[in-house]
């Protein structure tokens, strides 16, 4: 058996016996979900995925929020979006009336008030058109056409007075424009989009890999937008349990009341988990346990110390005429540049006029300040740093 599948299967088995919490009671269609369901999926940067557990389709709920925030950021720009919604942890439950004094701006886009404000930023003359645009973008993140569960949507609309009240409050502060009922209706549809854990893993992966879809290779949103969204997920993704989540698990994440959670390890992988019983904060109890164990076993906490972070590969070759070629690959970070310089100082140069050519053209990422330091030192040795294959210096 594949060792990754085996390890993930063992994690699911460990948490299966946990039966704390209850399905979301305030939305009748969610209250009646089978509480025993348990599933997870993981996707890596090359798009390879592993899915285990129940083959369930469930509604995305609040997990839609970071992706709609991404859509708004990409279309309107950060400054415009932040006029309508903040990026501060609210320290309050997901459906709280967390509005900034005076402006009425919701604390962040991952609580309901902020999510409704964000949905209001997506252009759409009618509720349906706005919702269609949102479903289309969620589908691009998932890499397949997603559908709305009309029964859940109707159930949510039938019991959604609190969200309607939030929308009307936002309208009273001019945080949203137009008809608040139409905006909240689009929000109900966005929450009722059906997904699998593999969809969630791929969607989270797209944010983990700088906005690039791991399977299709399509750039869905800019790398900057992906980074902004992941930042907000880190501080606000688990509502008023976000602080203890960061200490315990240390992965940017977002939960939804149907029992799904997305999490990601930046540049490494995206994860989706699902189990409908929720704790008092509205976060899946077993879903959290799965991610906690995964983070522990694989050392995934974002602030885990890594000694070899971004250490470039380095090979030294010599020409017939004595020129020393130092070929780098991988990623050049600031600390990585220091290591390259140490290695260069140790390279034997038969004569003081021996040419040194540092070839960084195959590197996947060059941090500009690190490159500047490397270049200064190499040039002091009379050498050259080349950043493109044909020798032209793209970054000079
Ligand atoms: N549709 C849900 C609501 O608005 C989403 C909340 C959630 O998933 N936490 O109440």
């Amino acid at each position: 058996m594949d060792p990754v599948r085996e390890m993930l299967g063992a994690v699911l088995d460990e948490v299966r016996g946990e039966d704390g919490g209850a399905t979301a009671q305030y939305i009748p269609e969610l209250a009646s979900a089978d509480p025993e369901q348990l599933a997870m999926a993981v996707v890596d940067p090359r798009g390879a995925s592993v899915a285990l557990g129940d083959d369930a389709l469930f509604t995305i709920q609040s997990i839609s929020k970071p992706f709609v925030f991404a859509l708004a950021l990409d279309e309107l720009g950060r400054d415009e979006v932040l006029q309508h919604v903040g990026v501060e942890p609210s320290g309050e439950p997901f459906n709280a009336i967390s509005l900034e004094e005076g402006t009425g701006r919701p604390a962040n886009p991952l609580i309901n008030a902020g999510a409704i404000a964000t949905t209001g930023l997506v252009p759409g003359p009618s509720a349906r058109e706005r919702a269609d645009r949102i479903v289309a973008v969620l589908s691009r993140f998932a890499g397949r056409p997603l559908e709305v569960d009309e029964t859940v949507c109707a159930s949510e609309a039938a019991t959604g007075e609190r969200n309607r009240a939030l929308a009307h409050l936002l309208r009273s502060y001019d945080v949203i424009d137009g008809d608040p009922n139409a905006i909240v209706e689009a929000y109900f549809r966005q929450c009722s989009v059906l997904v699998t854990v593999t969809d969630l893993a791929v969607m989270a992966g797209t944010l983990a890999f700088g906005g690039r879809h791991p399977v299709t290779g399509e750039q869905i949103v800019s790398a900057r937008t992906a980074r902004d969204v992941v930042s907000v997920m880190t501080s606000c993704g688990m509502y008023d349990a976000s602080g203890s989540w960061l200490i315990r698990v240390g992965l940017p994440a977002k939960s939804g009341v149907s029992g799904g959670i997305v999490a990601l390890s930046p540049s490494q992988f995206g994860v989706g988990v699902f189990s409908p019983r929720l704790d008092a904060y509205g976060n899946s109890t077993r879903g959290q346990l799965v991610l906690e164990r995964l983070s522990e076993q694989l050392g995934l906490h974002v602030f885990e110390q890594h000694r070899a972070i971004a250490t470039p590969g380095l090979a030294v070759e010599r020409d017939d005429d004595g020129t020393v070629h130092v070929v780098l690959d991988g990623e050049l970070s600031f600390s990585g540049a220091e290591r390259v310089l140490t290695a260069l100082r140790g390279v034997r140069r038969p004569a003081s006029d021996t040419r040194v050519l540092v070839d960084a053209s195959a590197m996947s990422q060059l941090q500009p300040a690190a490159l500047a330091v490397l270049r200064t030192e190499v040039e002091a040795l009379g050498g050259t740093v080349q950043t493109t294959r044909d020798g032209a210096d793209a970054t000079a």
Side-chain angles (χ1 to χ4, degrees):
M1 187 163 161
D2 164 5
V4 176
R5 189 170 274 282
E6 202 165 328
M7 193 271 290
L8 299 179
V11 170
L12 283 193
D13 289 342
E14 276 172 43
V15 311
R16 198 164 265 119
E18 293 289 338
D19 61 358
T23 56
Q25 297 298 303
Y26 72 101
I27 301 177
E29 271 306 304
L30 298 184
S32 62
D34 171 5
E36 292 309 328
Q37 298 175 92
L38 178 64
M40 82 177 298
V42 177
V43 69
D44 78 8
R46 282 164 299 282
S49 60
V50 178
L52 294 98
D54 294 305
D55 190 12
L57 261 180
F58 50 95
T59 52
I60 190 166
Q61 297 298 334
S62 286
I63 300 171
S64 60
K65 294 170 181 173
F67 300 98
V68 179
F69 182 50
L71 167 65
L73 284 173
D74 236 33
E75 293 211 346
L76 304 174
R78 191 202 269 168
D79 291 345
E80 171 66 18
V81 173
L82 295 193
Q83 303 261 317
H84 299 263
V85 58
V87 286
E88 304 303 337
S90 66
E92 291 185 303
F94 68 88
N95 56 4
I97 306 173
S98 262
L99 308 181
E100 191 176 66
E101 191 131 345
T103 65
R105 209 171 56 128
N108 69 67
L110 304 186
I111 53 171
N112 288 8
I116 294 167
T118 311
T119 298
L121 291 176
V122 176
S126 68
R128 196 48 188 260
E129 277 165 279
R130 181 179 270 120
D132 286 350
R133 287 198 63 185
I134 291 175
V135 175
V137 104
L138 295 175
S139 300
R140 285 180 68 208
F141 270 107
R144 72 176 189 96
L146 301 176
E147 282 172 18
V148 171
D149 183 326
E150 300 293 347
T151 317
V152 172
C153 190
S155 182
E156 177 139 4
T159 55
E161 294 314 335
R162 194 177 172 94
N163 286 326
R164 285 194 189 89
L166 282 170
H168 282 275
L169 265 177
L170 293 171
R171 182 71 191 86
S172 78
Y173 282 108
D174 283 333
V175 169
I176 55 174
D177 254 355
D179 177 7
N181 289 315
I183 291 172
V184 89
E185 209 180 299
Y187 168 77
F188 291 148
R189 285 192 80 72
Q190 117 188 13
C191 288
S192 305
V193 164
L194 285 163
V195 288
T196 64
V197 280
T198 301
D199 293 327
L200 291 186
V202 167
M203 293 173 83
T206 302
L207 294 176
F209 313 134
R212 194 189 57 83
H213 195 284
V215 180
T216 65
E218 189 191 349
Q219 192 73 36
I220 310 289
V221 288
S222 71
R224 167 57 68 95
T225 286
R227 197 183 79 179
D228 284 356
V229 174
V230 172
S231 304
V232 179
M233 287 166 73
T234 307
S235 55
C236 312
M238 302 297 274
Y239 307 117
D240 38 341
S242 296
S244 59
W245 173 262
L246 189 54
I247 291 229
R248 270 184 11 251
V249 185
L251 293 175
K254 180 73 203 85
S255 62
V257 283
S258 59
I261 307 180
V262 288
L264 59 100
S265 176
S267 310
Q268 295 202 72
F269 51 79
V271 193
V273 292
F274 171 61
S275 194
R277 276 190 286 253
L278 310 178
D279 67 8
Y281 299 100
N283 299 325
S284 166
T285 44
R286 291 196 297 195
Q288 292 180 82
L289 287 172
V290 167
L291 291 167
E292 188 169 346
R293 284 191 169 58
L294 197 68
S295 169
E296 250 165 44
Q297 288 187 14
L298 302 183
L300 293 179
H301 194 295
V302 275
F303 301 127
E304 193 77 56
Q305 195 207 349
H306 294 287
R307 282 178 199 278
I309 192 152
T311 303
L314 185 148
V316 180
E317 294 156 15
R318 283 169 208 279
D319 260 0
D320 294 344
D321 69 358
T323 305
V324 177
H325 291 263
V326 179
V327 184
L328 303 177
D329 64 39
E331 189 174 322
L332 188 70
S333 67
F334 206 75
S335 57
E338 203 39 57
R339 284 167 197 240
V340 174
L341 290 172
T342 309
L344 276 177
R345 289 183 199 116
V347 169
R348 198 177 48 80
R349 298 163 73 214
S352 61
D353 63 351
T354 301
R355 278 188 17 95
V356 178
L357 275 178
V358 176
D359 181 358
S361 65
M363 299 198 89
S364 58
Q365 207 160 328
L366 285 164
Q367 206 273 324
L371 179 62
V373 168
L374 180 65
R375 178 168 287 135
T376 309
E377 291 254 352
V378 170
E379 285 172 359
L381 285 173
T384 321
V385 179
Q386 163 181 329
T387 56
T388 61
R389 216 165 282 278
D390 62 9
D393 191 346
T395 54

